[in-house]
Amino acid sequence: MVKHIVSFKLKGTPEQRKEVASKFRDALLKLPETIDVLQSMEVGLNENPNEDWDVVLTAVVPTMADVEVYAKHPAHVAAASIVGPHKEARSCVDYNF
């Protein structure tokens, strides 16, 4: 099994960042219904005003190759398009567990 953990730092005012993050979260949470290799999806929105990062997601897929299947799936591409124009930075860690 592979955990795919991604964090996003967004551009804009705190209100704009929260709005985009919420829309992105809602889209991501629907992905397990559509993407067969996606076994689970957890999304958290930062609630600490002293931190700069806005969104973190943890996806679980069976293999490292499935990370790419998930990433290229049209439903994931559509969800990512929500955050794309607002993204200041992204970090990612994929690991077997």
Side-chain angles (χ1 to χ4, degrees), residues 46-60:
N46 183 30
E47 296 178 17
N48 183 345
N50 297 320
E51 297 296 336
D52 295 330
W53 289 77
D54 298 288
V55 182
V56 64
L57 71 88
T58 302
V60 175

Side-chain angles (χ1 to χ4, degrees), residues 31-80:
L31 295 181
E33 301 168 9
T34 308
I35 303 174
D36 291 339
V37 299
L38 188 54
Q39 297 196 344
S40 67
M41 172 67 73
E42 181 179 323
V43 183
L45 304 184
N46 183 30
E47 296 178 17
N48 183 345
N50 297 320
E51 297 296 336
D52 295 330
W53 289 77
D54 298 288
V55 182
V56 64
L57 71 88
T58 302
V60 175
V61 296
T63 68
M64 198 63 73
D66 290 324
V67 174
E68 187 171 343
V69 171
Y70 154 76
K72 291 182 177 181
H73 192 283
H76 174 263
V77 172

Side-chain angles (χ1 to χ4, degrees), residues 23-24 26-29 31 70 73-84:
K23 288 179 184 177
F24 185 44
D26 294 348
L28 289 172
L29 291 175
L31 295 181
Y70 154 76
H73 192 283
H76 174 263
V77 172
S81 72
I82 293 169
V83 77

